[in-house]
Amino acid sequence: MIGAKGLRQGIMGVGLNEKKISGELKETIEAVTPRFEENLKRAFQNEGLRRENLAEKKDRLHPLDDVLFSVGDNIIELKDLKLTKTPDYRISSLSADFAMLTLHVTINLGDLKIEGDYEANNKTLQYFLPIVHTGKVRITFENVTATGRIGMFIKEDSFVVEHYDLVYTPRDVAVLVLYKEENSDVRVENEIARQKVEDTIALTFWPELKDTVTRLLHRQLQTVIVEESVNDLFGESDVELRNHAHQLILKANRLVDSLLCTAKSKIVSGSVRMVEAPELNVIFKGRHPSQEQGLLEARGGYVQDLSTLSRCNNVSFYEDEKDVIIYGSLHLREFKYGYENYKGRQANASVGGSIRGMIYRNKIFVKLSLSKSQEHCVTQLEAVQFRSVNDIEVLVSGLGSLSWLAKNIKTWMIGNLRNEVLLILENKIRNAFDYAIQITDCAALLID
């Protein structure tokens, strides 16, 4: 096993610049970095203004998937959610580390406002007093900041940004509900405010919102960073920088691929290629003009195939005096989610069948750290997070006279997927990677 001392000496260590890049490249980096940082900050802000001026009103609204979750016997839906405005990204700090192909940033996003509708039911009460409560919901994430690192790669004669290891932090979260009392035009407003997202209903869509604002950030940043010519910046040191960047990629990919191979073997041997999904229970209103409530219950839920977990692209490598950080994206090449049987009833109609879903695009953020500050190198899995799930197809059999429910069922499936199923999958993947880390000499894989 490679100890922390061997890792410090063998990878890149404290003597990174002296050992792994020439004095000439080091001098070039020191010379070009201030101008690059200043130009990038200015171009980024200008691009934000340009996009704001050209955007039509519909382009400033960014829809989020509906949310379905339970609190005890209460079933709550958040519908037609949308981010009401593209964030006004303001760079508080930006520094470029060309030796690590990394941007360190602190960005202020201002307030993020989400609007939509809510519907609340009670499963037990539905049998005795079938009532539903509906209204509007407005959720404001106040003074959000994003802090962390962004991985860079060299593509042809440009830098491209790929992996975003950012922490989003709001100062406060305010949840406002608006509804009208029955037989009255009086609008009732109730508001609660918390400092932590996890203490509010906003937790149910917070991962998707972070993915949305990261994608918008990426579009703005990528548009301007590609305009900078690598050759013009580094001149005769261009080739050495490219070779150095390639070596970082090889190290990072080698470690991730080794752990991934072992983790997938653990998934197969542990018979967790298919994972049981939680039950799906929904109370719904009849189609207009009927207001009679109905009930859908789905059982035999499953998700597969975790053995198709794969690396999406090159991963990023970062090192400082204390740690090595490796981060990037994985995905499931085959991602099925469904229920073997469901039953639905509304008014005089009773139906049943199966629900089959397929997710065609997904991305899982994975982050590893190797500590060099201890006697023995310690490798930890810092994060496993589904960043995006898109292009989802849902097929429902046996709906018969309730065929109009097909669109609703797709919405409920996606809501259940985001709020419950993804958390289960993240834990399964985390367990497999933790096992792989325990039996792998991670430090040795990072040494040339």
Side-chain angles (χ1 to χ4, degrees):
M1 295 287 288
I2 301 295
K5 182 178 180 181
L7 180 62
R8 285 193 293 270
Q9 296 175 343
I11 302 178
M12 305 179 80
V14 178
L16 164 65
N17 291 331
E18 293 78 9
K19 290 185 177 183
K20 292 298 181 179
I21 61 178
S22 69
E24 181 180 350
L25 178 55
K26 181 181 177 182
E27 290 178 1
T28 302
I29 288 175
E30 292 175 350
V32 305
T33 297
R35 181 175 67 85
F36 174 84
E37 292 172 347
E38 187 62 33
N39 288 347
L40 184 58
K41 284 189 284 187
R42 183 173 57 252
F44 179 82
Q45 300 302 163
N46 290 340
E47 177 64 15
L49 291 173
R50 186 189 72 83
R51 287 173 177 264
E52 175 67 20
N53 292 333
L54 293 178
E56 298 180 7
K57 185 175 181 179
K58 62 180 178 62
D59 297 326
R60 297 171 182 170
L61 298 175
H62 305 283
L64 304 178
D65 286 336
D66 292 355
V67 171
L68 176 69
F69 67 103
S70 299
V71 181
D73 269 359
N74 298 303
I75 302 173
I76 302 172
E77 287 186 73
L78 302 181
K79 305 177 181 180
D80 298 324
L81 296 174
K82 52 189 173 294
L83 175 63
T84 60
K85 184 178 181 297
T86 301
D88 180 15
Y89 299 100
R90 299 284 178 171
I91 296 177
S92 299
S93 66
L94 181 150
S95 62
D97 184 346
F98 286 112
M100 288 288 99
L101 276 296
T102 300
L103 294 177
H104 299 276
V105 299
T106 299
I107 301 173
N108 191 288
L109 287 70
D111 292 348
L112 302 180
K113 297 182 179 180
I114 307 298
E115 294 183 354
D117 303 320
Y118 76 85
E119 182 175 309
N121 300 276
N122 183 279
K123 186 178 178 182
T124 300
L125 193 61
Q126 200 260 347
Y127 290 96
F128 304 101
L129 190 63
I131 59 176
V132 59
H133 200 283
T134 61
K136 300 288 184 181
V137 61
R138 296 176 185 170
I139 301 171
T140 303
F141 302 84
E142 299 177 0
N143 194 25
V144 180
T145 59
T147 305
R149 61 179 66 88
I150 302 173
M152 293 192 296
F153 296 91
I154 300 174
K155 185 176 182 180
E156 298 178 354
D157 192 34
S158 299
F159 291 106
V160 296
V161 282
E162 187 66 44
H163 304 302
Y164 290 75
D165 181 19
L166 301 176
V167 175
Y168 290 91
T169 308
R171 183 183 60 194
D172 287 298
V173 182
V175 180
L176 175 69
V177 294
L178 305 94
Y179 59 91
K180 290 183 179 181
E181 294 285 5
E182 189 174 356
N183 300 321
S184 172
D185 290 331
V186 177
R187 173 181 286 186
V188 179
E189 296 186 6
N190 290 317
E191 183 176 20
I192 59 172
R194 301 286 187 270
Q195 289 187 325
K196 296 181 179 180
V197 175
E198 53 266 33
D199 293 335
T200 72
I201 198 173
L203 179 64
T204 57
F205 60 83
W206 180 235
E208 186 185 8
L209 177 59
K210 289 189 293 182
D211 179 58
T212 298
V213 297
T214 301
R215 284 189 288 105
L216 294 171
L217 169 63
H218 174 74
R219 292 175 190 173
Q220 186 171 329
L221 180 58
Q222 184 63 41
T223 298
V224 295
I225 199 171
V226 295
E227 296 299 321
E228 195 76 62
S229 166
V230 178
N231 185 261
D232 289 348
L233 267 178
F234 287 90
E236 295 180 357
S237 298
D238 171 272
V239 174
E240 183 181 351
L241 178 66
R242 291 175 186 272
N243 290 336
H244 174 68
H246 182 63
Q247 290 304 311
L248 296 183
I249 291 172
L250 289 180
K251 292 175 187 288
N253 287 352
R254 184 164 61 225
L255 175 57
V256 171
D257 288 346
S258 176
L259 293 176
L260 183 58
C261 182
T262 304
K264 289 167 68 172
S265 296
K266 179 65 174 178
I267 287 170
V268 173
S269 64
S271 300
V272 290
R273 293 178 60 179
M274 179 182 291
V275 177
E276 182 178 344
E279 298 176 354
L280 179 64
N281 300 295
V282 186
I283 299 171
F284 59 90
K285 290 191 299 185
R287 184 169 55 172
H288 184 78
S290 170
Q291 293 297 309
E292 187 170 345
Q293 288 186 333
L295 178 66
L296 182 134
E297 298 176 316
R299 303 290 183 266
Y302 63 88
V303 182
Q304 64 181 44
D305 180 344
L306 285 185
S307 70
T308 65
L309 192 65
S310 305
R311 177 164 56 86
C312 295
N313 45 29
N314 293 325
V315 295
S316 291
F317 181 103
Y318 175 78
E319 181 183 15
D320 57 24
E321 293 184 356
K322 294 181 179 180
D323 301 291
V324 174
I325 305 294
I326 294 174
Y327 58 103
S329 296
L330 308 178
H331 71 137
L332 294 174
R333 288 182 286 105
E334 180 179 303
F335 193 169
K336 296 180 180 179
Y337 163 47
Y339 290 88
E340 294 294 348
N341 59 80
Y342 77 88
K343 293 181 180 180
R345 62 178 182 273
Q346 193 265 330
N348 296 321
S350 295
V351 298
S354 63
I355 306 173
R356 310 288 183 192
M358 178 71 78
I359 294 90
Y360 292 104
R361 288 196 301 135
N362 64 93
K363 187 174 289 187
I364 308 164
F365 177 75
V366 174
K367 178 180 175 182
L368 301 159
S369 69
L370 288 82
S371 172
K372 302 186 294 180
S373 59
Q374 303 180 38
E375 181 178 353
H376 299 288
C377 175
V378 177
T379 303
Q380 290 186 321
L381 181 63
E382 300 288 344
V384 174
Q385 303 167 351
F386 272 89
R387 287 283 175 87
S388 62
V389 283
N390 305 105
D391 291 349
I392 302 173
E393 180 183 46
V394 175
L395 300 176
V396 187
S397 68
L399 276 175
S401 61
L402 298 184
S403 59
W404 55 272
L405 269 182
K407 184 178 179 181
N408 301 63
I409 291 175
K410 178 179 179 179
T411 297
W412 299 330
M413 286 278 287
I414 295 173
N416 201 47
L417 172 71
R418 288 191 176 279
N419 196 55
E420 295 195 55
V421 175
L422 295 185
L423 295 177
I424 296 172
L425 297 184
E426 288 172 357
N427 285 333
K428 296 295 185 182
I429 295 171
R430 179 183 293 275
N431 290 341
F433 263 88
D434 283 339
Y435 168 79
I437 289 171
Q438 290 176 5
I439 65 172
T440 302
D441 189 351
C442 297
L445 292 171
L446 296 179
I447 297 176
D448 293 331

